[in-house]
Amino acid sequence: MKGDHAISGRHARIVRTNDGGLRFVDESKNGSVVAGKPVHRKEAELTDGVEVQMGISRLVLKVLRAQPAPASPAAETTMFSVAQQATEMFTGCELSITEGSDAGQRVPLSAQRIVIGRGDEADVKLTDTSVSRKHAVLTFEHGDYTLHNESSQGTRVNGEKVEKHTLQDGDEVQMGPAKLTFTKLQ
């Protein structure tokens, strides 16, 4: 999927089983979702109409013609699990905390919705007391993160106060004394 940076160079294969069925074989670093269930470095059965998510891209499988595979008594389909837990989504983005109480931390961004603040629900926790419990929310759509200010104290990007801003590589985000640099990895 062109433009989807969360998809690995060789993300997955679709293979036909000996009984004529189809299997999705995930070979990615980031995992996939088949029929709502995480699949990471293992296989999942594919059926007509099943939804497959790789990175932020979603596909619906349409089987046009099912043909049974030639019978081979010597070969059997074997499924085995290499990993028990699905990994988080790789977006190719991270935040580096450059100033404030939490300076020095680097946080890879690996979800479609990320809360930044000092509250319990924060995915990126900042301990500076002047940062709101839910200071800002990042949403990942179409390969970009958009910052949404949630604080009455305000959020600045590159020195400008913003309510909503699509982050670009190198943008500096400030929340109280905390400064974070947004990086889009290549």
Side-chain angles (χ1 to χ4, degrees):
M1 307 318 123
K2 191 174 182 179
D4 188 343
H5 302 289
I7 292 183
S8 299
R10 181 174 175 153
H11 198 94
R13 294 180 295 131
I14 295 176
V15 296
R16 185 173 299 280
T17 61
N18 291 338
D19 63 356
L22 296 173
R23 308 252 344 136
F24 178 89
V25 182
D26 181 271
E27 298 176 342
S28 71
K29 293 180 181 178
N30 312 311
S32 305
V33 178
V34 177
K37 295 180 182 168
V39 176
H40 181 244
R41 303 219 177 202
K42 59 183 178 180
E43 297 181 10
E45 182 178 3
L46 293 176
T47 56
D48 188 41
V50 71
E51 184 177 279
V52 176
Q53 181 177 346
M54 296 180 288
I56 59 169
S57 299
R58 292 187 178 165
L59 310 164
V60 176
L61 179 71
K62 177 69 177 162
V63 178
L64 299 176
R65 182 173 41 140
Q67 295 178 348
S72 172
E76 289 187 27
T77 302
T78 306
M79 185 175 93
F80 59 93
S81 173
V82 176
Q84 297 300 317
Q85 299 288 326
T87 61
E88 297 173 319
M89 179 175 72
F90 177 73
T91 63
C93 302
E94 72 178 16
L95 286 175
S96 300
I97 305 172
T98 58
E99 292 184 28
S101 301
D102 305 292
Q105 291 185 40
R106 291 175 60 190
V107 182
L109 304 178
S110 56
Q112 286 186 291
R113 183 178 185 279
I114 297 171
V115 175
I116 303 173
R118 62 180 173 81
D120 291 337
E121 74 171 297
D123 301 299
V124 177
K125 290 196 186 254
L126 300 173
T127 56
D128 290 302
T129 56
S130 60
V131 172
S132 299
R133 293 181 195 285
K134 182 178 176 184
H135 203 101
V137 174
L138 298 179
T139 56
F140 188 69
E141 294 181 57
H142 310 293
D144 291 313
Y145 270 106
T146 301
L147 180 139
H148 305 267
N149 177 56
E150 298 282 328
S151 174
S152 60
Q153 299 172 41
T155 302
R156 294 183 178 275
V157 176
N158 301 324
E160 301 289 323
K161 199 168 185 176
V162 298
E163 287 303 312
K164 181 178 178 182
H165 177 83
T166 300
L167 293 171
Q168 303 297 314
D169 186 44
D171 278 353
E172 183 181 76
V173 178
Q174 184 171 359
M175 301 171 185
K179 287 187 180 177
L180 306 92
T181 300
F182 176 80
T183 306
K184 202 167 197 177
L185 306 171
Q186 301 302 324

